[in-house]
Amino acid sequence: MAQQKMIRVGNCSGFYGDRISAMREMLEGGDVDYITGDYLAELTMLILGRDRMKDPSLGYAKTFVRQVEECLSLALEQGVKIVTNAGGLNPAGLAEKIREIADNQGLKVNVAHVEGDDLRERAEELGLGAPLTANAYLGAFGIAECLKDGADVVVTGRVTDASVIVAPAIAAFGWERTDFDELAGAVVAGHVIECGTQATGGNYSFFTEISNLGRPGFPIAEIHSDGSSVITKHEGTGGEVSVGTVTAQLLYEISGARYAGPDVTTRMDTIELSEDGPDRVRISGVTGEAPPPDLKVSLNTLGGFRNQADFIVTGLDIDKKVALAKEQLEAWLTKPPAELRWEVSGTARDDAPTEEQASSILRCIVKDMDPKIVGRNFTSVAVELALASYPGFALTAPPANAQPYGLFTPGYVPQAQVPHVAVLADGTRKDIAPAPETLPLVDADNPVVEAPADLGATKRVPLGTIAGARSGDKGGNANIGVWVRSDAEWLWLAHTLTSDNLKELLPEAQDLTVHRYVFPKLRALNFVIEGILGQGVASQARFDPQAKGLGEWLRSRHLEIPVAFLDA
């Protein structure tokens, strides 16, 4: 295997709930050597944790089981190996389920799994408290050990998203633990394809430029033995692979120039992109450094219970109607919840042609450890207001029962304190040693960008007229990557869009800490806004809890842009 020069790795899942037919589409659409799938996010771990509380035999992604039932025979027939983190909190259980499927279908399959990431039983000992789930982000070498042993299917628990893509390259090319440049190159390829169709035009700022976005194809990484890669997709599938779509995904959920992982710290500021033909983008020049000494740990706890009521407020005197509803509801509650928050969304138009355009939504969100306080106590009052409040009172729907919500916090544990075990198809257990060489993680200095030339007259238009953006969540923080497509635009962007300017454009970030990172080779800036998502997506701190639309809000904001760019 070490003599191979290139492998084709296709991804068929970017999250738990992604297109169920994607695995079959990948197998039937053309040649691949490996199929990977990413099913785990911070919120997913909480969902799987609750599944495991109800039934200890669960804790894995059940949609993956359906895909295996449909596609295992075809994958074995084509010699395609499957690598996935769908094992979640129970990789051994998922491995056994796959063997059961194979037996029922009369198939012979070698299934291996990787374990050691689940630290829940040791959480207190490791100083991580008493969470519902505690999972360290393992790397790719355990998966690679399973593949080198001949596994047809490898399932893992919590590994870094890119690890399921990096591992096939390690197994194929014989990379060692200190081949940091090669590993970093594969991490970049993995980061691009791990979120599925976000690499082929999904969630892309300039989506109107893509002629066929009806059903984007899933991405493929052609990874070479030197760590370089080409991102592509099966011929004839929808969407597009371009420098723009790849740039957008590279900026997703990152921070600065150093992108830390358990196997390598990838220098995101070294990435070079170039067109390599239709729907083909080459990634080269990536360098890597030794990983940090600690592994990140995903910690989820049950934060309590939440509920909400959405009031429709229509017509005249909107502000006074809102004030009356707030005053009444808060006064009528016999047991005030621990947290009560109001939000007004939508702006009622004056003299509107439709009733909906004349209305705003007043949302009341409540949280408490006692489900009764945010359940019956809250919903009864919201309903009792119906004939006693502002004119035109209505609810979008009857208030529901209280729902549990979770809190995410990151933890860190020395690599040597986390077991990393490859459980081979025959049951043999192989311990994977921690990284032999580590470096403490520190931010790289932002490069100095030359000042732009005098660009002449400007016009006040949306930033998105010339700039793309991609945003996402990292615990309670959000990131917004912003990029442009010409060198002149880049010099202007780098000197115009400062952290202070971002706060002016996004007032919700005004009182928060904002970090700015500069990526000249991608013509991009990345901003990390601390705390804007509260305690993570599961805490439901904002109406957009994963910050998916934050970048598009920024693009819609107006500022003075050189007319020369607009004419071009």
Side-chain angles (χ1 to χ4, degrees), residues 471-472 480 542-544 546-555:
S471 57
I480 309 175
R542 297 179 79 247
F543 84 100
D544 176 21
Q546 291 180 288
K548 300 297 187 183
L550 202 56
E552 288 303 299
W553 178 28
L554 176 63
R555 292 183 69 241

Side-chain angles (χ1 to χ4, degrees), residues 465-531:
T465 307
I466 65 166
R470 175 67 58 80
S471 57
D473 63 300
K474 275 297 180 185
N477 302 338
N479 93 291
I480 309 175
V482 186
W483 81 96
V484 288
R485 299 189 281 188
S486 75
D487 292 339
E489 290 172 345
W490 160 241
L491 296 181
W492 171 86
L493 180 74
H495 284 269
T496 301
L497 196 57
T498 63
S499 294
D500 288 341
N501 188 228
L502 181 94
K503 290 184 176 185
E504 292 176 9
L505 294 170
L506 304 183
E508 290 181 25
Q510 192 68 55
D511 299 323
L512 303 174
T513 299
V514 175
H515 303 277
R516 189 181 96 138
Y517 303 98
V518 180
F519 299 101
K521 290 189 176 183
L522 298 177
R523 301 192 189 103
L525 302 172
N526 188 49
F527 296 90
V528 176
I529 306 174
E530 290 189 3

Side-chain angles (χ1 to χ4, degrees), residues 411-431:
Y412 296 90
V413 174
Q415 289 207 25
Q417 293 189 26
V418 179
H420 186 175
V421 183
V423 184
L424 306 181
D426 64 0
T428 302
R429 300 175 64 85
K430 287 196 173 182
D431 292 327

Side-chain angles (χ1 to χ4, degrees), residues 291-542:
D294 294 338
L295 296 182
K296 183 179 177 181
V297 182
S298 171
L299 302 170
N300 281 286
T301 58
L302 290 176
F305 296 84
R306 74 181 299 278
N307 207 342
Q308 72 181 53
D310 293 351
F311 303 89
I312 301 172
V313 188
T314 305
L316 303 176
D317 301 319
I318 293 289
D319 291 344
K320 293 178 180 178
K321 291 172 179 174
V322 165
L324 177 60
K326 289 181 179 181
E327 177 187 345
Q328 289 178 309
L329 186 138
E330 292 183 19
W332 290 20
L333 288 172
T334 56
K335 294 182 179 179
E339 181 181 337
L340 186 150
R341 189 173 79 252
W342 295 94
E343 296 175 354
V344 179
S345 61
T347 303
R349 287 175 51 187
D350 186 40
D351 194 22
T354 68
E355 182 179 348
E356 187 170 359
Q357 292 177 41
S359 303
S360 293
I361 300 295
L362 171 65
R363 179 172 294 114
C364 182
I365 301 105
V366 290
K367 294 181 178 180
D368 200 279
M369 292 302 295
D370 186 344
K372 294 179 182 177
I373 289 177
V374 294
R376 189 181 306 111
N377 179 62
F378 170 70
T379 58
S380 295
V381 169
V383 172
E384 288 167 4
L385 288 174
L387 304 182
S389 191
Y390 59 85
F393 179 100
L395 293 164
T396 58
N401 295 326
Q403 297 294 320
Y405 71 92
L407 302 176
F408 168 85
T409 54
Y412 296 90
V413 174
Q415 289 207 25
Q417 293 189 26
V418 179
H420 186 175
V421 183
V423 184
L424 306 181
D426 64 0
T428 302
R429 300 175 64 85
K430 287 196 173 182
D431 292 327
I432 306 302
E437 182 180 334
T438 63
L439 282 174
L441 184 67
V442 295
D443 275 344
D445 292 333
N446 277 327
V448 175
V449 180
E450 65 179 283
D454 181 8
L455 296 166
T458 63
K459 184 177 180 180
R460 192 168 182 81
V461 295
L463 174 62
T465 307
I466 65 166
R470 175 67 58 80
S471 57
D473 63 300
K474 275 297 180 185
N477 302 338
N479 93 291
I480 309 175
V482 186
W483 81 96
V484 288
R485 299 189 281 188
S486 75
D487 292 339
E489 290 172 345
W490 160 241
L491 296 181
W492 171 86
L493 180 74
H495 284 269
T496 301
L497 196 57
T498 63
S499 294
D500 288 341
N501 188 228
L502 181 94
K503 290 184 176 185
E504 292 176 9
L505 294 170
L506 304 183
E508 290 181 25
Q510 192 68 55
D511 299 323
L512 303 174
T513 299
V514 175
H515 303 277
R516 189 181 96 138
Y517 303 98
V518 180
F519 299 101
K521 290 189 176 183
L522 298 177
R523 301 192 189 103
L525 302 172
N526 188 49
F527 296 90
V528 176
I529 306 174
E530 290 189 3
I532 195 170
L533 302 180
Q535 290 184 280
V537 53
S539 71
Q540 299 284 313
R542 297 179 79 247

Side-chain angles (χ1 to χ4, degrees), residues 11 35 119-120 140 151 169 195 220 230 239 242 248 257 262 302 337 376 383 449 485 500 503 561:
N11 187 348
I35 286 182
L119 304 178
R120 185 182 59 155
C195 286
I220 297 167
V230 171
S242 67
L302 290 176
R376 189 181 306 111
V383 172
V449 180
R485 299 189 281 188
D500 288 341
K503 290 184 176 185
I561 294 179

